[in-house]
Amino acid sequence: MTRNPKLVLYEPDQIFAARICDYWSNQKGFPFEIACFSNYEKWRSAYPKMTADVWLIDSSIAEEMQREGLSGRVLIWTDDESQETAIYKYRSADILMQTLKDCLDATGTSVAADQEQICVIGLYSPMKSVLQTVMGMEIARLLTAFGQVLYLPLSGFWAMKDLQTDYYSKDISDFMYFLAGSEQQSTVFIQNYILERESIEFLAAVDNPDSLRTIAAKEWLDFLDFWKKSGRYQYVILDIGPEICEVPKLLQGCIKIFSVAGSNSICDGIWRQYEQYLEATGNLSLMSRTERVHLPEGREDFGCMETTDYKSRLARELLSGAGLI
Protein backbone atom coordinates (compact mmCIF):
# COMPACT_ATOMS: atom_id res chain seq x y z
CA MET A 1 0.00 0.00 0.00
CA THR A 2 1.38 3.40 -1.07
CA ARG A 3 1.82 5.89 1.79
CA ASN A 4 0.92 9.55 1.56
CA PRO A 5 3.87 11.97 1.59
CA LYS A 6 4.47 13.44 5.06
CA LEU A 7 4.45 17.13 5.92
CA VAL A 8 5.87 18.27 9.28
CA LEU A 9 4.90 21.80 10.33
CA TYR A 10 6.40 23.89 13.12
CA GLU A 11 4.37 27.05 13.77
CA PRO A 12 4.53 28.74 17.22
CA ASP A 13 1.11 30.38 16.81
CA GLN A 14 -1.10 27.48 17.92
CA ILE A 15 -4.39 28.98 16.69
CA PHE A 16 -2.99 29.81 13.25
CA ALA A 17 -1.36 26.37 12.95
CA ALA A 18 -4.58 24.57 13.89
CA ARG A 19 -6.63 26.65 11.46
CA ILE A 20 -4.42 26.14 8.43
CA CYS A 21 -3.84 22.43 9.10
CA ASP A 22 -7.57 21.89 9.48
CA TYR A 23 -8.20 23.71 6.20
CA TRP A 24 -5.61 21.70 4.27
CA SER A 25 -6.74 18.38 5.75
CA ASN A 26 -10.27 19.00 4.50
CA GLN A 27 -9.27 19.96 0.96
CA LYS A 28 -9.85 17.37 -1.73
CA GLY A 29 -6.57 16.42 -3.37
CA PHE A 30 -4.27 17.61 -0.58
CA PRO A 31 -1.54 14.93 -0.81
CA PHE A 32 0.08 15.09 2.64
CA GLU A 33 -0.24 13.41 5.99
CA ILE A 34 0.35 16.31 8.43
CA ALA A 35 2.22 16.39 11.75
CA CYS A 36 1.96 19.79 13.43
CA PHE A 37 3.90 21.30 16.37
CA SER A 38 3.47 24.61 18.17
CA ASN A 39 5.18 23.87 21.49
CA TYR A 40 8.96 24.26 21.11
CA GLU A 41 9.90 21.70 23.80
CA LYS A 42 7.66 19.04 22.26
CA TRP A 43 9.11 19.88 18.86
CA ARG A 44 12.70 19.53 20.10
CA SER A 45 11.88 16.16 21.60
CA ALA A 46 10.05 14.80 18.55
CA TYR A 47 11.80 15.94 15.37
CA PRO A 48 15.11 13.98 15.74
CA LYS A 49 13.10 10.76 15.56
CA MET A 50 10.98 11.85 12.58
CA THR A 51 11.29 11.62 8.82
CA ALA A 52 9.36 13.78 6.37
CA ASP A 53 9.08 14.54 2.68
CA VAL A 54 8.56 18.25 3.38
CA TRP A 55 9.36 20.30 6.51
CA LEU A 56 7.61 23.67 6.87
CA ILE A 57 9.51 25.54 9.59
CA ASP A 58 8.87 28.95 11.15
CA SER A 59 11.73 31.38 10.52
CA SER A 60 12.33 31.79 14.29
CA ILE A 61 14.19 28.45 14.33
CA ALA A 62 15.49 28.50 10.75
CA GLU A 63 19.20 28.63 11.62
CA GLU A 64 18.83 25.85 14.16
CA MET A 65 17.11 23.56 11.66
CA GLN A 66 19.55 24.29 8.86
CA ARG A 67 22.36 23.00 11.10
CA GLU A 68 20.47 19.74 11.68
CA GLY A 69 20.65 18.60 8.06
CA LEU A 70 17.09 17.26 7.87
CA SER A 71 16.28 14.75 5.14
CA GLY A 72 13.53 15.83 2.77
CA ARG A 73 12.62 19.30 1.48
CA VAL A 74 12.99 22.05 4.11
CA LEU A 75 10.94 25.21 3.62
CA ILE A 76 11.14 28.27 5.82
CA TRP A 77 8.05 30.39 6.25
CA THR A 78 7.75 33.82 7.78
CA ASP A 79 5.43 36.69 8.62
CA ASP A 80 7.87 39.12 6.95
CA GLU A 81 6.75 39.59 3.33
CA SER A 82 10.06 41.19 2.33
CA GLN A 83 12.08 37.97 2.79
CA GLU A 84 12.72 36.64 -0.72
CA THR A 85 14.07 33.25 0.38
CA ALA A 86 11.16 32.34 2.65
CA ILE A 87 7.48 31.67 2.11
CA TYR A 88 5.12 34.39 3.29
CA LYS A 89 2.72 32.50 5.56
CA TYR A 90 -0.28 34.83 5.34
CA ARG A 91 -0.87 34.24 1.65
CA SER A 92 -4.01 32.47 0.50
CA ALA A 93 -4.19 28.97 2.01
CA ASP A 94 -4.86 27.61 -1.49
CA ILE A 95 -1.68 29.20 -2.85
CA LEU A 96 0.33 27.80 0.05
CA MET A 97 -1.19 24.39 -0.60
CA GLN A 98 -0.13 24.55 -4.25
CA THR A 99 3.39 25.52 -3.19
CA LEU A 100 3.62 22.38 -1.07
CA LYS A 101 2.42 20.28 -4.00
CA ASP A 102 5.12 21.89 -6.15
CA CYS A 103 7.70 20.51 -3.72
CA LEU A 104 6.56 16.99 -4.53
CA ASP A 105 6.90 17.71 -8.25
CA ALA A 106 10.42 19.08 -7.71
CA THR A 107 11.54 15.96 -5.83
CA GLY A 108 9.89 13.55 -8.24
CA THR A 109 7.28 12.32 -5.77
CA SER A 110 4.61 13.24 -8.27
CA VAL A 111 4.73 14.06 -11.97
CA ALA A 112 4.47 17.63 -13.24
CA ALA A 113 1.94 18.46 -15.91
CA ASP A 114 2.96 17.96 -19.54
CA GLN A 115 3.89 21.23 -21.22
CA GLU A 116 1.73 20.27 -24.19
CA GLN A 117 -1.31 20.25 -21.89
CA ILE A 118 -0.80 23.87 -20.87
CA CYS A 119 -2.97 26.26 -22.88
CA VAL A 120 -1.52 29.75 -23.40
CA ILE A 121 -4.08 32.33 -24.52
CA GLY A 122 -3.05 35.78 -25.75
CA LEU A 123 -5.06 38.99 -25.51
CA TYR A 124 -3.66 41.61 -27.85
CA SER A 125 -4.79 44.38 -30.15
CA PRO A 126 -2.77 47.13 -31.83
CA MET A 127 -5.45 49.50 -30.47
CA LYS A 128 -5.78 48.20 -26.92
CA SER A 129 -8.65 49.37 -24.72
CA VAL A 130 -9.75 48.52 -21.18
CA LEU A 131 -12.31 46.16 -22.71
CA GLN A 132 -9.45 43.77 -23.55
CA THR A 133 -8.88 43.20 -19.83
CA VAL A 134 -12.59 43.06 -19.04
CA MET A 135 -13.02 40.33 -21.65
CA GLY A 136 -9.84 38.59 -20.51
CA MET A 137 -10.96 38.39 -16.88
CA GLU A 138 -14.30 36.94 -17.98
CA ILE A 139 -12.47 34.27 -19.97
CA ALA A 140 -10.27 33.54 -16.93
CA ARG A 141 -13.32 33.17 -14.63
CA LEU A 142 -14.88 30.68 -17.00
CA LEU A 143 -11.67 28.65 -17.33
CA THR A 144 -11.36 28.17 -13.56
CA ALA A 145 -14.04 25.50 -13.90
CA PHE A 146 -11.66 23.50 -16.09
CA GLY A 147 -8.28 23.99 -14.41
CA GLN A 148 -5.89 26.34 -12.59
CA VAL A 149 -5.57 29.73 -14.30
CA LEU A 150 -2.68 32.23 -14.22
CA TYR A 151 -3.40 35.76 -15.50
CA LEU A 152 -0.37 37.84 -16.49
CA PRO A 153 -1.03 41.60 -16.99
CA LEU A 154 1.83 42.48 -19.38
CA SER A 155 0.77 46.09 -19.60
CA GLY A 156 1.94 49.34 -18.06
CA PHE A 157 -1.59 50.55 -17.42
CA TRP A 158 -3.81 47.70 -16.33
CA ALA A 159 -7.59 48.05 -16.18
CA MET A 160 -7.97 45.80 -13.11
CA LYS A 161 -5.33 47.42 -10.89
CA ASP A 162 -7.73 47.34 -7.92
CA LEU A 163 -7.40 43.53 -7.77
CA GLN A 164 -3.89 43.78 -6.33
CA THR A 165 -4.42 46.12 -3.39
CA ASP A 166 -3.64 43.51 -0.70
CA TYR A 167 -0.17 42.51 -1.89
CA TYR A 168 1.09 45.26 -4.09
CA SER A 169 4.81 45.62 -3.41
CA LYS A 170 6.15 42.91 -5.75
CA ASP A 171 5.17 43.24 -9.42
CA ILE A 172 6.02 41.46 -12.66
CA SER A 173 9.30 43.32 -13.17
CA ASP A 174 10.39 42.30 -9.64
CA PHE A 175 9.46 38.70 -10.42
CA MET A 176 11.54 38.68 -13.61
CA TYR A 177 14.52 40.06 -11.69
CA PHE A 178 14.07 37.28 -9.12
CA LEU A 179 13.77 34.67 -11.86
CA ALA A 180 16.95 35.83 -13.60
CA GLY A 181 18.89 35.62 -10.34
CA SER A 182 17.48 32.28 -9.20
CA GLU A 183 19.85 29.38 -9.75
CA GLN A 184 17.16 26.72 -9.35
CA GLN A 185 14.25 28.65 -10.90
CA SER A 186 12.01 26.75 -8.50
CA THR A 187 8.31 27.51 -8.10
CA VAL A 188 8.61 27.09 -4.32
CA PHE A 189 9.15 30.78 -3.52
CA ILE A 190 7.17 32.07 -6.48
CA GLN A 191 4.07 32.13 -4.30
CA ASN A 192 5.46 35.28 -2.66
CA TYR A 193 4.59 37.06 -5.91
CA ILE A 194 1.25 35.42 -6.64
CA LEU A 195 -2.05 37.14 -5.89
CA GLU A 196 -5.44 35.43 -5.98
CA ARG A 197 -8.96 36.61 -6.74
CA GLU A 198 -12.02 34.46 -7.48
CA SER A 199 -9.77 31.37 -7.92
CA ILE A 200 -7.69 33.20 -10.56
CA GLU A 201 -3.99 33.60 -9.73
CA PHE A 202 -2.05 36.52 -11.18
CA LEU A 203 1.08 38.62 -10.81
CA ALA A 204 0.81 42.29 -9.91
CA ALA A 205 0.97 44.74 -12.81
CA VAL A 206 3.78 47.27 -12.83
CA ASP A 207 3.44 50.87 -11.67
CA ASN A 208 5.94 52.23 -14.17
CA PRO A 209 5.40 51.28 -17.86
CA ASP A 210 9.05 52.06 -18.61
CA SER A 211 10.07 48.98 -16.63
CA LEU A 212 8.34 46.83 -19.27
CA ARG A 213 9.87 48.63 -22.25
CA THR A 214 13.37 47.66 -21.13
CA ILE A 215 12.63 43.91 -21.11
CA ALA A 216 13.96 42.14 -24.20
CA ALA A 217 11.93 39.66 -26.23
CA LYS A 218 14.14 36.74 -25.14
CA GLU A 219 13.43 37.55 -21.49
CA TRP A 220 9.70 37.40 -22.16
CA LEU A 221 10.10 34.05 -23.89
CA ASP A 222 12.09 32.68 -20.94
CA PHE A 223 9.40 34.07 -18.62
CA LEU A 224 6.64 32.25 -20.53
CA ASP A 225 8.71 29.07 -20.76
CA PHE A 226 9.09 29.08 -16.97
CA TRP A 227 5.33 28.94 -16.45
CA LYS A 228 4.93 26.23 -19.08
CA LYS A 229 7.49 24.06 -17.29
CA SER A 230 6.18 24.73 -13.80
CA GLY A 231 3.33 22.21 -14.10
CA ARG A 232 1.30 24.53 -11.88
CA TYR A 233 -1.31 25.78 -14.37
CA GLN A 234 -3.57 24.41 -17.06
CA TYR A 235 -4.23 27.89 -18.52
CA VAL A 236 -1.96 30.93 -18.80
CA ILE A 237 -3.50 34.17 -20.08
CA LEU A 238 -1.28 36.97 -21.42
CA ASP A 239 -2.92 40.41 -21.34
CA ILE A 240 -0.44 42.22 -23.59
CA GLY A 241 -0.11 45.99 -23.80
CA PRO A 242 1.75 48.27 -26.23
CA GLU A 243 4.81 48.51 -23.93
CA ILE A 244 5.99 44.97 -24.81
CA CYS A 245 8.75 44.83 -27.42
CA GLU A 246 8.58 42.40 -30.34
CA VAL A 247 5.03 41.31 -29.53
CA PRO A 248 4.83 38.70 -32.35
CA LYS A 249 7.54 36.58 -30.69
CA LEU A 250 5.45 36.39 -27.52
CA LEU A 251 2.25 35.70 -29.47
CA GLN A 252 3.94 32.75 -31.21
CA GLY A 253 3.75 30.92 -27.87
CA CYS A 254 -0.06 31.26 -27.75
CA ILE A 255 -2.49 28.60 -28.89
CA LYS A 256 -5.17 31.24 -29.47
CA ILE A 257 -5.17 35.05 -29.60
CA PHE A 258 -8.24 37.18 -28.94
CA SER A 259 -8.22 40.78 -30.13
CA VAL A 260 -10.97 42.96 -28.67
CA ALA A 261 -11.53 45.85 -31.05
CA GLY A 262 -14.16 48.32 -32.17
CA SER A 263 -16.08 48.19 -35.45
CA ASN A 264 -15.30 51.36 -37.35
CA SER A 265 -13.17 52.46 -40.29
CA ILE A 266 -10.28 53.65 -38.09
CA CYS A 267 -10.03 50.31 -36.27
CA ASP A 268 -10.27 48.43 -39.57
CA GLY A 269 -7.47 50.55 -41.03
CA ILE A 270 -5.20 49.92 -38.04
CA TRP A 271 -5.95 46.22 -38.28
CA ARG A 272 -4.93 46.12 -41.96
CA GLN A 273 -1.70 47.91 -41.06
CA TYR A 274 -1.07 45.33 -38.31
CA GLU A 275 -1.59 42.48 -40.78
CA GLN A 276 0.93 44.08 -43.15
CA TYR A 277 3.39 44.39 -40.28
CA LEU A 278 3.04 40.67 -39.46
CA GLU A 279 3.61 39.78 -43.09
CA ALA A 280 6.69 42.01 -43.34
CA THR A 281 8.21 40.47 -40.19
CA GLY A 282 7.50 36.87 -41.20
CA ASN A 283 4.72 36.36 -38.64
CA LEU A 284 1.66 36.26 -40.87
CA SER A 285 0.79 32.78 -39.53
CA LEU A 286 -0.41 34.51 -36.34
CA MET A 287 -3.47 35.77 -38.21
CA SER A 288 -4.88 32.24 -38.44
CA ARG A 289 -4.72 31.98 -34.63
CA THR A 290 -6.21 35.41 -34.02
CA GLU A 291 -9.90 36.11 -33.59
CA ARG A 292 -11.18 39.66 -33.59
CA VAL A 293 -13.84 40.15 -30.96
CA HIS A 294 -16.31 42.75 -32.16
CA LEU A 295 -18.61 43.97 -29.42
CA PRO A 296 -22.16 44.50 -30.68
CA GLU A 297 -23.53 47.98 -31.23
CA GLY A 298 -25.04 49.51 -28.11
CA ARG A 299 -22.73 47.66 -25.69
CA GLU A 300 -20.98 50.75 -24.36
CA ASP A 301 -21.83 49.41 -20.87
CA PHE A 302 -19.77 46.25 -21.46
CA GLY A 303 -17.57 46.88 -18.44
CA CYS A 304 -20.52 47.26 -16.02
CA MET A 305 -21.67 44.63 -13.54
CA GLU A 306 -25.12 44.59 -15.13
CA THR A 307 -23.72 42.88 -18.23
CA THR A 308 -22.21 39.92 -16.33
CA ASP A 309 -24.47 37.29 -17.92
CA TYR A 310 -23.85 38.69 -21.38
CA LYS A 311 -20.07 38.71 -20.90
CA SER A 312 -20.13 35.15 -19.58
CA ARG A 313 -22.09 33.93 -22.62
CA LEU A 314 -19.71 35.72 -24.99
CA ALA A 315 -16.63 34.24 -23.25
CA ARG A 316 -18.13 30.75 -23.43
CA GLU A 317 -18.90 31.17 -27.14
CA LEU A 318 -15.35 32.33 -27.86
CA LEU A 319 -13.68 29.47 -25.95
CA SER A 320 -16.05 26.84 -27.28
CA GLY A 321 -15.68 28.06 -30.85
CA ALA A 322 -11.90 27.90 -30.50
CA GLY A 323 -12.06 24.36 -29.09
CA LEU A 324 -10.52 25.43 -25.76
CA ILE A 325 -13.36 24.07 -23.60
Side-chain angles (χ1 to χ4, degrees):
M1 183 170 139
T2 304
R3 71 170 182 87
N4 288 333
K6 188 169 184 178
L7 167 67
V8 176
L9 169 67
Y10 174 75
E11 165 54 50
D13 184 336
Q14 185 176 7
I15 295 176
F16 177 70
R19 185 183 299 126
I20 198 164
C21 287
D22 183 63
Y23 177 81
W24 285 338
S25 298
N26 286 287
Q27 292 303 299
K28 182 179 179 181
F30 186 66
F32 292 97
E33 170 192 342
I34 305 175
C36 179
F37 296 85
S38 292
N39 181 282
Y40 179 73
E41 296 304 324
K42 290 183 179 179
W43 161 259
R44 283 287 303 174
S45 174
Y47 84 79
K49 309 169 189 175
M50 301 177 69
T51 59
D53 297 279
V54 178
W55 304 78
L56 188 55
I57 308 297
D58 183 76
S59 58
S60 62
I61 60 169
E63 292 186 9
E64 176 186 340
M65 290 300 99
Q66 287 167 352
R67 292 194 298 267
E68 295 295 332
L70 298 174
S71 61
R73 193 67 179 270
V74 180
L75 303 179
I76 305 301
W77 75 342
T78 177
D79 56 5
D80 181 0
E81 189 184 3
S82 66
Q83 290 190 28
E84 297 287 354
T85 57
I87 296 172
Y88 183 55
K89 65 175 69 174
Y90 299 125
R91 288 295 191 189
S92 157
D94 289 334
I95 293 177
L96 292 173
M97 182 169 68
Q98 181 60 53
T99 300
L100 296 173
K101 290 181 179 180
D102 290 343
C103 290
L104 298 184
D105 294 339
T107 57
T109 307
S110 64
V111 180
D114 189 337
Q115 287 191 57
E116 298 301 321
Q117 296 176 350
I118 298 174
C119 177
V120 181
I121 298 171
L123 300 166
Y124 178 74
S125 171
M127 48 279 189
K128 186 188 178 191
S129 73
V130 296
L131 298 184
Q132 174 173 304
T133 298
V134 173
M135 191 70 251
M137 291 300 294
E138 200 60 44
I139 288 173
R141 289 190 188 96
L142 183 58
L143 289 174
T144 58
F146 300 90
Q148 186 65 53
V149 179
L150 175 68
Y151 200 105
L152 298 174
L154 308 184
S155 178
F157 299 98
W158 194 45
M160 308 296 284
K161 193 80 169 171
D162 62 312
L163 291 182
Q164 57 193 56
T165 53
D166 290 339
Y167 301 104
Y168 183 52
S169 58
K170 297 184 179 73
D171 62 27
I172 282 181
S173 60
D174 295 317
F175 172 80
M176 295 191 74
Y177 179 81
F178 169 83
L179 193 63
S182 172
E183 295 181 358
Q184 296 180 334
Q185 291 196 349
S186 168
T187 59
V188 171
F189 300 119
I190 299 312
Q191 62 88 36
N192 287 337
Y193 293 82
I194 292 174
L195 312 180
E196 190 267 338
R197 180 76 171 266
E198 298 179 21
S199 298
I200 303 167
E201 294 187 6
F202 58 98
L203 298 186
V206 298
D207 271 337
N208 183 359
D210 292 338
S211 64
L212 294 179
R213 295 188 177 98
T214 60
I215 299 174
K218 183 182 183 306
E219 293 178 83
W220 285 123
L221 295 177
D222 291 342
F223 172 78
L224 182 57
D225 191 52
F226 171 84
W227 293 112
K228 287 181 176 181
K229 290 179 178 178
S230 73
R232 185 182 180 110
Y233 301 98
Q234 284 70 53
Y235 300 95
V236 175
I237 299 177
L238 309 181
D239 188 348
I240 304 172
E243 300 85 2
I244 306 301
C245 67
E246 299 183 73
V247 168
K249 289 187 178 180
L250 194 54
L251 293 178
Q252 289 289 358
C254 300
I255 293 174
K256 186 70 178 178
I257 305 156
F258 294 111
S259 182
V260 181
S263 303
N264 55 56
S265 58
I266 294 178
C267 289
D268 291 341
I270 293 175
W271 188 260
R272 286 192 297 272
Q273 181 184 356
Y274 177 65
E275 186 172 4
Q276 292 167 0
Y277 163 70
L278 292 179
E279 184 175 14
T281 57
N283 294 286
L284 190 59
S285 62
L286 288 173
M287 294 301 294
S288 63
R289 280 183 261 166
T290 303
E291 180 174 350
R292 289 184 72 184
V293 181
H294 292 288
L295 302 182
E297 296 291 335
R299 299 310 314 199
E300 292 84 0
D301 61 344
F302 187 70
C304 299
M305 290 295 295
E306 289 75 10
T307 62
T308 297
D309 290 343
Y310 170 75
K311 288 183 288 188
S312 180
R313 288 197 303 273
L314 178 57
R316 186 173 292 277
E317 289 172 4
L318 291 173
L319 293 172
S320 178
L324 300 178
I325 60 172

